[in-house]
Amino acid sequence: MRDHRLILAILAGLMILTTSSIYGQIVYGQPASGSLRMIYSNWSIGQSAGSIDISQLMFPVGGFFPLQDNLEMRFFAANASNRVDIGDEEYTLSGMSDIRLQLNGSMSDDRILLSMGINLPTGKKKLSHEEEQLVMAVLTQNYVSFPIRRLGEGLGINFLAGTAMSSGNSRLGGTIMYQFNGSYEAYEDEGDYKPGNMLSISANADTRSDKLVLLGDITLSSFSTDKLRDKKFFKQGDQLGIHAGIIYGENSYTLEGDLNYLIRGRNESYSEDEVIDYRLKVYGNEFSMTGKFAYHYQEIWYVAPVFELRLIAGDEFEGECHFGSANNIGFGMEYGRTLNKDYEFGVGFKYYTGKADDGDIDLTGYRLSASIGAAF
């Protein structure tokens, strides 16, 4: 693996505080609920210098609490164990993630949504250079997919305001979100790292009939400069995300499909004296497509073939530093069952295959999952 890719992968893993995707319409009458999942992911990265195997065992827990008709709280936390095998060498990184809380409220007959979230810095930080830094470098390669790519970060706070209007069966809305990311010591003896803050603006629309839902949204995100020991270090380029989806349902089955296209701007890297070293795309634009066909039986269980495709363009570096395009395809099956009126259980399997660096790297992987959810 090229040295500059290790460095950029480390940076990519630290650039943004991940926020839970829990903004949305308040659902009145929904009971309190919680879920526990197990997700095991494994990837093999084959290249001329030898193969790298990486695995992750993750136990995420989440919950939902209705505080009143127009106010709710959600939370998320996880424990993850990661292992990288390179030849006869084994490297590990394990620990708890940060705890994330989100408070959502609506007013004016659901025409206005206000939300505040907090990332509590409870997860593992100060990673070791000898072992854990290498695991993080492999884990954050964007041509392999993992449900969690980093553990502990700094204190984070986000604020979101949104509005929506409807006409007949159609709805149009928009949100604006600002996220503050606090500083923390990412690696031992490297000083405080301060990820850049983020401003995100999105517009969304959907229309529906008895059996069909069409939806789409577009999101523009901009980032301030990351700092290391109070000096400019890295700036993530602006991003434009475009999404379109479809849901079609009959009594016995549901068909779901999503298309996503992410346009990435150029990143800036700074030298020790805060002069720009380069202004290039670290990762290229990305297209993804997912599909799911769920067959329901007596409202007790469902079985669903699933499909996933990712296409990632190469970076803008030249010569030996250039990393080419990547692609992978995944397919598998999900099964879920209602145990009784308050409990649900589900399992899933997905297999991946693909290429990276313009075909020089072979990718194979799989994911196993199980979950149980309860309403109270």
Side-chain angles (χ1 to χ4, degrees):
M1 186 177 300
R2 299 171 185 142
D3 291 343
H4 92 279
R5 297 307 302 177
L6 289 173
I7 296 171
L8 295 178
I10 294 167
L11 297 179
L14 302 174
M15 282 192 284
I16 314 175
L17 169 71
T18 301
T19 54
S20 301
S21 300
I22 55 181
Y23 317 121
Q25 183 182 18
I26 302 294
V27 180
Y28 295 105
Q30 182 176 347
S33 60
S35 65
L36 172 65
R37 302 181 67 196
M38 182 282 295
I39 306 173
Y40 179 78
S41 304
N42 182 279
W43 284 87
S44 178
I45 305 171
Q47 48 193 336
S48 58
S51 65
I52 298 174
D53 293 314
I54 177 168
S55 61
Q56 179 184 90
L57 178 62
M58 176 187 175
F59 292 95
V61 59
F64 164 83
F65 299 97
L67 303 179
Q68 57 187 48
D69 283 347
N70 61 347
L71 188 65
E72 66 181 34
M73 185 180 74
R74 299 177 183 251
F75 78 90
F76 171 85
N79 179 274
S81 300
N82 305 280
R83 191 181 82 177
V84 171
D85 294 307
I86 305 177
D88 296 329
E89 300 293 329
E90 177 183 308
Y91 306 87
T92 60
L93 168 60
S94 302
M96 289 294 300
S97 74
D98 290 343
I99 296 174
R100 299 189 178 99
L101 305 173
Q102 197 86 21
L103 192 66
N104 301 321
S106 66
M107 59 185 67
S108 299
D109 295 326
D110 286 344
R111 288 192 296 269
I112 297 176
L113 173 69
L114 299 176
S115 178
M116 183 183 75
I118 183 169
N119 183 90
L120 301 176
T122 56
K124 186 171 184 177
K125 296 176 283 290
K126 297 184 180 180
L127 305 185
S128 67
H129 292 281
E130 294 80 11
E131 182 169 3
E132 295 172 331
Q133 188 180 53
L134 185 142
V135 178
M136 178 65 74
V138 180
L139 191 66
T140 54
Q141 298 297 322
N142 76 332
Y143 52 80
V144 292
S145 56
F146 290 94
I148 187 170
R149 295 182 182 270
R150 50 199 180 275
L151 299 175
E153 300 175 90
L155 177 68
I157 302 175
N158 65 66
F159 299 95
L160 178 142
T163 185
M165 63 181 70
S166 60
S167 176
N169 293 328
S170 300
R171 183 176 57 178
L172 180 66
T175 61
I176 181 169
M177 191 266 283
Y178 184 79
Q179 180 171 295
F180 168 81
N181 297 319
S183 60
Y184 64 103
E185 189 173 354
Y187 297 101
E188 291 177 339
D189 304 320
E190 281 202 356
D192 284 343
Y193 188 90
K194 169 64 175 70
N197 301 332
M198 179 178 70
L199 175 66
S200 180
I201 301 172
S202 67
N204 57 79
D206 65 68
T207 185
R208 61 191 65 210
S209 64
D210 291 339
K211 298 180 180 180
L212 180 67
V213 179
L214 299 175
L215 59 150
D217 55 80
I218 183 169
T219 302
L220 176 64
S221 301
S222 184
F223 308 86
S224 62
T225 305
D226 299 3
K227 292 186 176 181
L228 179 62
R229 296 187 292 271
D230 291 325
K231 291 186 176 182
K232 290 182 180 180
F233 184 63
F234 190 86
K235 185 180 186 302
Q236 184 172 0
D238 295 344
Q239 294 185 350
L240 181 66
I242 304 169
H243 163 254
I246 182 173
I247 304 172
Y248 181 82
E250 294 280 358
N251 291 333
S252 60
Y253 68 88
T254 303
L255 176 64
E256 301 178 19
D258 283 284
L259 298 174
N260 290 276
Y261 188 63
L262 180 61
I263 302 172
R264 295 185 169 104
R266 289 185 169 91
N267 309 104
E268 295 178 357
S269 179
Y270 293 84
S271 64
E272 188 67 25
D273 55 1
E274 299 186 278
V275 175
I276 295 177
D277 274 337
Y278 63 77
R279 186 183 285 111
L280 298 168
K281 283 189 178 183
V282 174
Y283 295 113
N285 299 340
E286 180 173 339
F287 170 81
S288 65
M289 176 172 60
T290 60
K292 178 178 178 179
F293 179 83
Y295 174 73
H296 307 272
Y297 180 69
Q298 295 183 349
E299 297 184 356
I300 296 175
W301 61 270
Y302 76 88
V303 60
V306 292
F307 167 82
E308 177 182 331
L309 172 68
R310 294 179 68 207
L311 305 174
I312 307 169
D315 62 29
E316 292 186 338
F317 292 92
E318 296 180 352
E320 289 296 319
C321 292
H322 173 66
F323 194 90
S325 62
N327 64 81
N328 62 62
I329 184 171
F331 50 90
M333 191 74 69
E334 295 177 358
Y335 170 82
R337 183 178 179 86
T338 301
L339 302 179
N340 59 45
K341 66 183 182 68
D342 295 324
Y343 294 91
E344 294 181 339
F345 172 76
V347 293
F349 171 79
K350 188 177 290 185
Y351 175 79
Y352 298 93
T353 183
K355 299 283 187 178
D357 199 9
D358 291 334
D360 289 342
I361 295 177
D362 294 318
L363 304 174
T364 56
Y366 63 91
R367 178 176 296 178
L368 300 169
S369 62
S371 65
I372 185 167
F376 307 98

